[in-house]
């Protein structure tokens, strides 16, 4: 199905809009469900498709991204697809080189070390020129989905991308990146602003290409305390939601629901609920009732089963899902894991998770 490059017009009619309705706070017959990293290495067909190609070369192939995005939907009755890509395509668009090192993960060949290094970054990014391959992948996938479920686009958030760009890869402490926040606050804001501007254009471009919802990943929020988050993460998270929405209006594009997922940001739930996103994603370390109490009724919550629960026997997964649904309530809620799927997970257990969400939420709604 992922053959022709097609235009972002005349998309097939959407048959299952449960995810979009839940995101907008409308009533749903069942609780919609999707999984972070649902297109991933836990699927043998994913490993097979990926085997011959460099990771970022795969990201740059609309045809392969389309195929990888569709794979989990052939197996499971998920309520949404998320485009296969990576958050680090944004630093690449700024002119940084990132390679995927086996056993180590993404690695920047020349991370930012000094404030002067900011001058090496592209100060004005034409997202269509630099990231058009993502837009093509979205358009192609949206056609190839044949209206089965909505397609989610995404980006990393500024602080998370900044931390990678300075650390040069993953880190347990983020000490290098955080030292910038303390030593070079002005330069940090310059970098975060540059990232935010690119992300805004990138997300708007994804909607123009056919994305029906957007998720912003602030994966490294947990490394910041309340003060640093308030100064260096939240203002940009807010600004991205506001600017994306006003640009979508200006360009007469659909106003799609937006999701913010800030991992380990328990200290900021109230702020995130008022940051301009329709949906707030939660990791597994938060009690659903507490999140609901703090965030009120005006946002949809998404999450938050511990990914490791999928190692449990299937009947246990069903019990945990039932408990989660009872805690969140079945409305204004999108079921998901509290983080992405791990490579060694059994696809059948993922299927058990998805089916349990549908079965238990239907049962609860009836009674």
């Amino acid at each position: 199905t992922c053959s022709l490059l097609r235009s972002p017009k005349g998309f097939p009619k959407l048959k299952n809009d449960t995810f979009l309705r839940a995101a907008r706070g409308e009533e749903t017959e069942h609780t919609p469900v999707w999984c972070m990293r649902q297109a991933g290495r836990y699927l043998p067909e994913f490993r097979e498709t990926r085997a011959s190609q460099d990771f970022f070369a795969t990201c740059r192939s609309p045809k392969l991204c389309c195929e990888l995005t569709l794979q989990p939907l052939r197996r499971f009755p998920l309520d949404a697809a998320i485009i296969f890509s990576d958050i680090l395509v944004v630093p690449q668009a700024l002119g940084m080189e990132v390679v995927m090192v086996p056993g180590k993960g993404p690695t920047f060949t020349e991370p930012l070390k000094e404030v002067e290094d900011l001058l090496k970054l592209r100060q004005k990014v034409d997202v269509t020129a630099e990231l058009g391959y993502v837009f093509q992948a979205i358009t192609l996938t949206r056609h190839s989905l044949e209206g089965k479920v909505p397609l989610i686009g995404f980006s990393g958030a500024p602080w998370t991308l900044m931390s990678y760009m300075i650390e040069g890869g993953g880190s347990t402490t983020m000490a290098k990146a955080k030292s910038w926040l303390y030593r070079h606050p002005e330069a940090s804001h310059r970098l975060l602003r540059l990232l935010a501007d690119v992300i805004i254009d990138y997300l708007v471009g994804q909607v123009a290409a056919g994305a029906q919802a957007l998720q912003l990943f602030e994966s490294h929020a947990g490394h910041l305390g309340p003060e640093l988050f308030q100064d260096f993460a939240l203002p940009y998270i807010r600004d991205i939601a506001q600017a994306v929405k006003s640009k979508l209006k200006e360009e007469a594009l659909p106003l799609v629901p937006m999701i913010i997922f800030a991992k380990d940001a328990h200290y900021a739930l109230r702020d995130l609920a008022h940051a301009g996103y329709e949906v707030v994603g939660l990791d597994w370390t938060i009690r659903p009732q507490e999140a609901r109490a703090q965030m009120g009724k005006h946002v949809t919550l998404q999450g938050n089963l511990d990914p490791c629960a999928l190692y449990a026997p299937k009947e246990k997964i069903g019990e945990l899902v039932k408990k989660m649904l009872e805690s969140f309530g079945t409305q204004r809620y999108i079921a998901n894991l509290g983080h992405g799927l791990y490579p060694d997970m059994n696809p059948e257990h993922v299927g058990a998770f998805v089916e349990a969400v549908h079965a238990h939420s239907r049962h609860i709604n009836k009674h």
Side-chain angles (χ1 to χ4, degrees):
T1 47
C2 301
S3 54
L4 308 163
L5 286 180
R6 309 184 203 171
S7 91
K9 299 255 183 318
F11 288 125
K13 190 176 182 317
L14 184 59
K15 300 178 188 117
N16 171 4
D17 66 348
T18 315
F19 163 81
L20 295 177
R21 279 189 290 136
R24 293 191 295 256
E26 297 164 17
E27 206 172 309
T28 60
E29 295 70 52
H30 68 266
T31 296
V33 55
W34 66 280
C35 299
M36 288 185 269
R37 284 202 217 117
Q38 62 190 30
R41 286 172 292 173
Y42 74 102
L43 290 175
E45 58 269 36
F46 178 96
R47 295 197 297 272
E48 207 175 298
T49 307
R50 277 272 304 106
S52 59
Q53 276 270 34
D54 162 71
F55 178 80
F56 286 108
T58 304
C59 290
R60 287 189 288 272
S61 161
K63 203 171 159 180
L64 286 176
C65 290
C66 174
E67 167 58 25
L68 293 169
T69 303
L70 295 180
Q71 283 176 350
L73 297 161
R74 295 187 189 121
R75 277 189 185 247
F76 316 118
L78 294 153
D79 293 289
I82 182 164
I83 194 67
F84 176 80
S85 186
D86 194 86
I87 64 171
L88 299 181
V89 299
V90 170
Q92 287 177 334
L94 287 166
M96 294 188 81
E97 193 188 358
V98 192
V99 291
M100 194 57 84
V101 178
K104 188 182 169 202
T107 306
F108 285 74
T109 48
E110 290 181 45
L112 305 174
K113 290 196 170 73
E114 303 303 329
V115 169
E116 296 75 59
D117 293 342
L118 295 181
L119 300 172
K120 295 181 194 165
L121 300 174
R122 277 193 192 104
Q123 301 304 305
K124 201 78 196 103
V125 175
D126 174 347
V127 291
T128 308
E130 300 301 329
L131 296 165
Y133 59 88
V134 180
F135 302 156
Q136 289 174 349
I138 286 172
T139 301
L140 184 58
T141 306
R142 175 87 189 266
H143 281 291
S144 304
L145 274 166
E146 295 171 338
K148 196 172 173 175
V149 293
L151 179 60
I152 304 168
F154 70 90
S155 173
W159 154 250
T160 295
L161 296 178
M162 170 182 170
S163 63
Y164 272 115
M165 290 158 78
I166 294 171
E167 296 290 341
S171 157
T172 49
T173 61
M174 297 293 160
K176 286 181 194 155
K178 284 178 72 178
S179 82
W180 273 53
L181 304 180
Y182 286 108
R183 286 165 45 224
H184 313 302
E186 289 81 10
S188 295
H189 280 299
R190 274 212 311 279
L191 175 54
L192 292 162
R193 182 72 262 162
L194 176 63
L195 283 162
D197 289 342
V198 176
I199 290 162
I200 289 159
D201 288 346
Y202 181 43
L203 290 173
V204 171
Q206 291 186 45
V207 176
Q212 290 153 290
L214 298 168
Q215 178 154 313
L216 190 68
F217 283 88
E218 189 70 282
S219 313
H220 296 168
H223 291 278
L224 303 175
E227 282 80 18
L228 288 179
F229 187 83
Q230 198 77 41
D231 289 346
F232 294 100
L234 187 63
Y236 299 98
I237 288 171
R238 279 197 187 117
D239 187 53
I240 287 166
Q242 202 182 339
V244 166
K245 288 177 177 177
S246 73
K247 287 200 171 193
L248 290 175
K249 274 198 191 112
E250 266 166 47
E251 296 178 29
L253 289 165
L255 275 179
V256 303
M258 294 179 72
I259 308 164
I260 175 68
F261 175 64
K263 190 170 177 294
D264 295 321
H266 320 128
Y267 53 79
L269 290 184
R270 274 203 177 82
D271 288 327
L272 289 168
H274 296 95
Y277 293 76
E278 286 69 28
V279 184
V280 179
L282 303 170
D283 62 62
W284 70 92
T285 61
I286 299 169
R287 285 198 177 87
Q289 295 95 326
E290 276 175 34
R292 194 63 92 180
Q294 281 195 50
M295 298 166 90
K297 290 273 189 281
H298 70 283
V299 291
T300 293
L301 300 183
Q302 174 176 284
N304 76 337
L305 191 71
D306 181 353
C308 290
L310 298 191
Y311 294 123
K314 287 194 216 168
E315 12 343 309
K316 177 73 177 159
I317 294 171
E319 287 165 31
L320 293 166
V321 164
K322 181 170 181 276
K323 193 174 163 210
M324 178 172 82
L325 284 160
E326 287 165 351
S327 303
F328 275 108
T330 57
Q331 301 297 325
R332 259 211 179 280
Y333 173 52
I334 296 161
N336 205 316
L337 304 172
H339 201 230
L341 288 158
Y342 301 145
D344 64 346
M345 287 179 163
N346 182 341
E348 286 185 17
H349 288 222
V350 177
F353 167 68
V354 173
E355 276 152 28
V357 170
H358 287 162
H360 288 299
S361 61
R362 282 203 172 96
H363 183 81
I364 294 168
N365 286 342
K366 274 207 185 95
H367 299 85

